[in-house]
Amino acid sequence: MMARINGHSDLEEIRRRALTRLLEPDSLAVNIGLASCGIAAGAAATLEAALEQLAPEGIEIRRTGCLGYCELEPLVEVLGPGWEGPRVVYRDITADKIGQLVRSHREGKYLTDWALGQMTDAWSLPDENYGVTPSLECLPDMANLAQTPYYDGQYKVALRNCGYIDPDDIEHYIARGGYAALWRALTEMSPEDVVETVVSSGLRGRGGAGFPTGLKWRFMAQSPGDVKYVIVNADEGDPGAFMDRALLEGNPHSILE
């Protein structure tokens, strides 16, 4: 259970500690995508096999959300302790492959035929804003994930943590700067300032109408009553888009914040 946060220094201490845990595991760490798309492709069995075969060997097994390449699930990322070696994402890693994959990776034998690519760019890694500027060893014969045709040109904002953090681990979210904006809203801004900030941001709903979010907040603030409720509308307006599902499964704390 996370300690109670009584001040900004507490939040910052959790962020620093969690950032180290997220980026510099004590041993080899394995991220397994457990979003709906991954589970449909067999990722739950992959996770079970990893926990059974690899966890007893001291390898850290993590759950993550969707990286966006659903057709190649189950996607598994392997990263070394303390930024030793590259972060490599592998595709189609079913339960019968996970043991061989991770043990080979641990020995420095990267199974390039199974690899989707390596994470080395800013879209997937914290930058100096998080107090860490990683310098990763790159594999010259393996694609940089951010430069592959599917990801090239993408700039992730709402989905930036999906596939990277454990969505059930609040400290992972805090490590990536999460809840810092909420802290400012609670301690440095008035309710009116918060509403006007959202209005001026131009943020709009993701449905067909694209209604300004700040106006909704203003209407709610001005409505009578001391007790009010916020309901998260996670209905998918565009068939097959799965925007809300990806957020809810991979970066849920961003919705709460």
Side-chain angles (χ1 to χ4, degrees):
M1 181 179 295
M2 189 176 69
R4 183 180 179 87
I5 299 174
N6 295 306
H8 187 267
S9 59
D10 292 341
L11 184 65
E12 181 61 21
E13 175 57 30
I14 291 172
R15 188 193 69 84
R16 286 196 298 266
R17 183 179 69 244
L19 189 63
T20 299
R21 183 164 61 90
L22 177 65
L23 302 182
E24 301 181 20
D26 294 331
S27 64
L28 204 68
V30 179
N31 291 335
I32 301 175
L34 264 293
S36 296
C37 50
I39 293 174
T46 300
L47 173 66
E48 183 178 355
L51 291 172
E52 179 182 335
Q53 300 173 28
L54 302 172
E57 299 178 12
I59 295 172
E60 183 178 352
I61 309 300
R62 303 171 174 176
R63 300 164 175 82
T64 62
C66 177
L67 275 173
Y69 222 136
C70 303
E71 67 183 89
L72 298 180
E73 293 279 5
L75 293 177
V76 170
E77 179 193 3
V78 186
L79 58 151
W83 290 112
E84 294 177 7
R87 301 175 66 111
V88 181
V89 178
Y90 296 92
R91 54 184 175 79
D92 301 313
I93 303 304
T94 47
D96 59 320
K97 295 179 179 178
I98 186 68
Q100 178 187 350
L101 167 70
V102 175
R103 291 186 180 104
S104 296
H105 193 107
R106 182 173 55 187
E107 296 169 1
K109 302 173 183 177
Y110 306 106
L111 303 183
T112 55
D113 289 345
W114 294 0
L116 180 62
Q118 54 189 321
M119 285 188 176
T120 58
D121 282 351
W123 74 271
S124 60
L125 301 173
D127 56 20
E128 63 275 4
N129 294 322
Y130 297 97
V132 173
T133 306
S135 177
L136 298 184
E137 173 189 347
C138 298
L139 300 173
D141 297 328
M142 186 179 296
N144 184 322
L145 201 62
Q147 296 174 354
T148 58
Y150 178 76
Y151 291 109
D152 184 26
Q154 291 189 29
Y155 183 81
K156 296 189 175 185
V157 180
L159 299 173
R160 63 187 176 277
N161 290 326
C162 293
Y164 190 84
I165 67 171
D166 180 344
D168 292 331
D169 191 327
I170 188 174
E171 293 194 359
H172 274 195
Y173 180 67
I174 292 174
R176 297 277 285 180
Y179 289 116
L182 175 62
W183 181 266
R184 290 195 298 272
L186 293 175
T187 62
E188 301 175 10
M189 305 171 71
S190 68
E192 294 77 15
D193 290 337
V194 174
V195 171
E196 291 309 313
T197 297
V198 178
V199 170
S200 62
S201 74
L203 183 67
R204 293 176 175 269
R206 296 297 299 271
F211 195 85
T213 304
L215 292 183
K216 292 182 181 180
W217 286 30
R218 182 185 290 166
F219 296 156
M220 183 177 67
Q222 294 173 346
S223 64
D226 296 329
V227 179
K228 298 169 184 179
Y229 300 88
V230 176
I231 298 173
V232 177
N233 177 6
D235 177 56
E236 299 285 2
D238 301 320
F242 302 128
M243 300 172 294
D244 297 333
R245 186 203 71 187
L247 270 175
L248 289 164
E249 292 180 337
N251 199 21
H253 287 282
S254 66
I255 297 175
L256 295 176
E257 183 174 26

